[in-house]
Amino acid sequence: MKIAVAFGTRPEAIKMAPIVKELTRRGVDFSIIVTGQHRELLDQKLDLFGIKPHHDLDVMQIDQDLFQTTSLVLQRIKPVLAQEAPDLLLVQGDTTTTFAASLAAFYLQIPIGHVEAGLRTWNRNNPYPEELNRQLTTRLASLHFAPTTWARANLLREGVSAEEIHVTGNPVIDALLDIAAEEYRFENALLNTMDYATRKVVVMTVHRRESFGEPMKRIFQACRELVESDQSVELIYPVHPNPQVKTMASHMLSGTPRVHLIEPLDYRAFVHLMKQSYLILTDSGGIQEEAPSLRKPVLVLRETTERPEAIEAGTAKLVGTSTASIVSAATQLLQDRKAYGEMITQINPYGDGTSGKQIVDIVLSALSGSSFKSK
Ligand code: UD1
Ligand code: UDP
């Protein structure tokens, strides 16, 4: 029995790490294929989790477009998958790596297991291109690891058979809980000297393609207005290395008092920064999943979300990208302790920290059964 695991970006590495850890612990024969869709952000995570890839497709180009990434992954993964000939390829999420690696495995008739299956906005332009990457991966996969019952219901509605779907939580929570429990001291001088008790530390991340241009300008304008109107706010923004993001962030925010533009943080530092923060503003998928487990309110800087569970539970609010709505929602949480308190509910909708183990159990049991092999 041989398994291959493919991933290429920061969030995929974080979410695959608990699965890799569990496969290693069980002595399973597996190989790790990284596409290198991200370079520094990926390598940072590989180092942290002690993951050593067997194959690195090294596809990242500066300011790459979707055609380049998709075609390079398809071309370069073909000989690797053909050589490895795994009984199952595990992919995660909704990136170009996820979709292109799945398509390649399908062409080679290798069965696919999809981690974080069934999230949907049903809006093909938002998130773009992730909504379609995820839907297409569903069509290609034969084992679907849904993080929640809502995700499972989406898959059932699309005709995926119930035996192929397993609700396992999201392995991001395994990674998060492990790291959040550790003692930690920041290496970054700003984070190390920040007075988290008296300053209101707002952590922000923004990187989505559909926010490039005007939406991102409106978000950054909201940041300027927030720090101007409340002197206790320190806004910390680890800027994604995408040139489209870096250029706009530097143009609109550098030099703004109490807005701290910093390099992307390694996962340990970022988790501990979220833990110390007052409020999180983000368009990230993974951070929407992590924040409820850290009991931090999140304002989601997007028009849609494929992660409604935290919103339904009241710990996240979808505020869109209009300057006024971001400023108004953030100001309320900065000034109104009651409104703030109402958003801090103790819920873990995305998992209990055992997802990696559950997924490996299911994979091993599926691969030892005859029905899966004949697919
Ligand atoms: C990708 C995913 C997105 C995911 C995000 C996580 C797609 C289409 N998008 O978006 O779903 O939420 O990763 O961060 O798969 N870059 C570097 N170093 C890095 C990483 C990126 O310099 O380590 C720069 C490069 O110039 C690269 C650009 O960022 O060309 C964009 O990277 P890309 O993976 O295409 O898009 P993301 O916005 O990172
Ligand atoms: N993250 C990190 N360092 C940072 C910012 C984010 O380690 O400086 C982590 C974050 O905790 C989450 C993941 O990266 O687990 C989210 O990645 P990203 O926002 O890039 O992608 P998305 O989740 O939107 O696909």
Side-chain angles (χ1 to χ4, degrees):
M1 188 193 295
K2 169 123 202 200
I3 294 166
V5 178
F7 55 93
T9 65
R10 164 167 74 188
E12 293 165 81
I14 294 168
K15 291 167 171 181
M16 277 299 198
I19 297 172
V20 167
K21 187 173 161 193
E22 189 60 16
L23 288 168
T24 309
R25 196 181 71 79
R26 307 263 189 111
V28 177
D29 184 12
F30 74 101
S31 60
I32 299 170
I33 306 166
V34 298
T35 64
Q37 176 178 337
H38 282 175
R39 190 70 279 163
E40 304 81 19
L41 293 186
L42 176 70
D43 293 346
Q44 224 182 27
K45 307 305 163 201
L46 297 176
D47 289 348
L48 170 67
F49 294 111
I51 296 175
K52 299 213 178 347
H54 301 89
H55 305 275
D56 189 334
L57 310 181
D58 202 19
V59 304
M60 195 189 93
Q61 320 267 310
I62 298 301
D63 214 2
Q64 62 207 1
D65 67 25
L66 298 171
F67 293 88
Q68 288 168 321
T69 317
T70 308
S71 53
L72 279 176
V73 172
L74 264 179
Q75 275 170 24
R76 293 188 188 172
I77 206 169
K78 177 185 171 191
V80 173
L81 283 178
Q83 177 207 324
E84 291 284 344
D87 298 299
L88 179 79
L89 176 72
L90 279 176
V91 296
Q92 192 286 332
D94 59 8
T95 70
T96 298
T97 288
T98 317
F99 168 58
S102 301
L103 186 59
F106 168 69
Y107 285 163
L108 292 168
Q109 304 229 288
I110 296 166
I112 297 148
H114 186 200
V115 176
E116 201 184 84
L119 281 63
R120 295 288 185 268
T121 62
W122 298 282
N123 176 342
R124 70 179 73 203
N125 298 318
N126 205 312
Y128 169 84
E130 290 82 3
E131 172 66 13
L132 257 286
N133 283 344
R134 202 187 293 273
Q135 290 194 22
L136 295 167
T137 304
T138 294
R139 298 276 74 80
L140 297 165
S142 21
L143 262 183
H144 309 261
F145 300 103
T148 64
T149 52
W150 178 77
R152 175 175 187 271
N154 295 337
L155 293 168
L156 287 173
R157 209 173 305 129
E158 290 175 7
V160 178
S161 81
E163 314 84 78
E164 293 183 354
I165 310 170
H166 302 271
V167 178
T168 57
N170 194 317
V172 75
I173 304 300
D174 308 17
L176 175 80
L177 296 181
D178 273 359
I179 287 178
E182 292 171 357
E183 288 289 314
Y184 184 74
R185 191 180 153 79
F186 293 108
E187 282 164 19
N188 177 303
L190 165 78
L191 304 185
N192 204 20
T193 51
M194 179 66 68
D195 183 351
Y196 296 93
T198 59
R199 312 300 295 157
K200 287 193 176 135
V201 172
V202 177
V203 177
M204 181 171 87
T205 78
V206 178
H207 75 277
R208 304 228 76 86
R209 267 185 167 69
E210 65 275 11
S211 297
F212 292 171
E214 289 307 313
M216 209 168 270
K217 273 192 198 162
R218 296 194 294 266
I219 292 171
F220 293 160
Q221 178 57 29
C223 297
R224 296 210 287 221
E225 292 182 19
L226 270 178
V227 284
E228 214 165 281
S229 65
D230 187 334
Q231 303 292 312
S232 66
V233 171
E234 303 281 348
L235 191 140
I236 302 180
Y237 175 17
V239 183
H240 190 289
N242 192 326
Q244 311 266 356
V245 180
K246 270 173 97 165
T247 310
M248 178 80 79
S250 138
H251 172 65
M252 285 199 61
L253 293 175
S254 60
T256 310
R258 288 174 290 102
V259 171
H260 309 279
L261 303 183
I262 61 173
E263 292 294 313
L265 292 169
D266 69 60
Y267 189 53
R268 190 169 274 135
F270 191 72
V271 167
H272 286 273
L273 177 61
M274 286 195 287
K275 239 178 111 174
Q276 300 272 27
S277 69
Y278 182 85
L279 170 66
I280 299 172
L281 309 183
T282 193
D283 66 2
S284 161
I287 295 170
Q288 290 176 63
E289 293 156 347
E290 292 165 334
S293 290
L294 294 175
R295 306 184 79 239
K296 297 294 166 182
V298 184
L299 299 181
V300 182
L301 309 174
R302 294 172 49 174
E303 305 302 338
T304 60
T305 182
E306 62 289 77
R307 293 162 169 96
E309 295 86 350
I311 290 173
E312 278 156 20
T315 88
K317 270 192 191 146
L318 193 62
V319 294
T321 59
S322 108
T323 303
S325 66
I326 299 167
V327 172
S328 143
T331 305
Q332 189 192 29
L333 292 172
L334 289 163
Q335 291 177 359
D336 179 347
R337 289 305 300 186
K338 186 163 171 284
Y340 184 87
E342 280 167 4
M343 280 187 81
I344 314 273
T345 40
Q346 181 62 65
I347 53 151
N348 294 311
Y350 300 107
D352 61 2
T354 63
S355 177
K357 288 197 182 72
Q358 293 182 50
I359 290 170
V360 171
D361 276 342
I362 294 158
V363 165
L364 297 183
S365 135
L367 287 182
S368 59
S370 53
S371 64
F372 188 73
K373 282 186 185 151
S374 64
K375 278 204 173 105

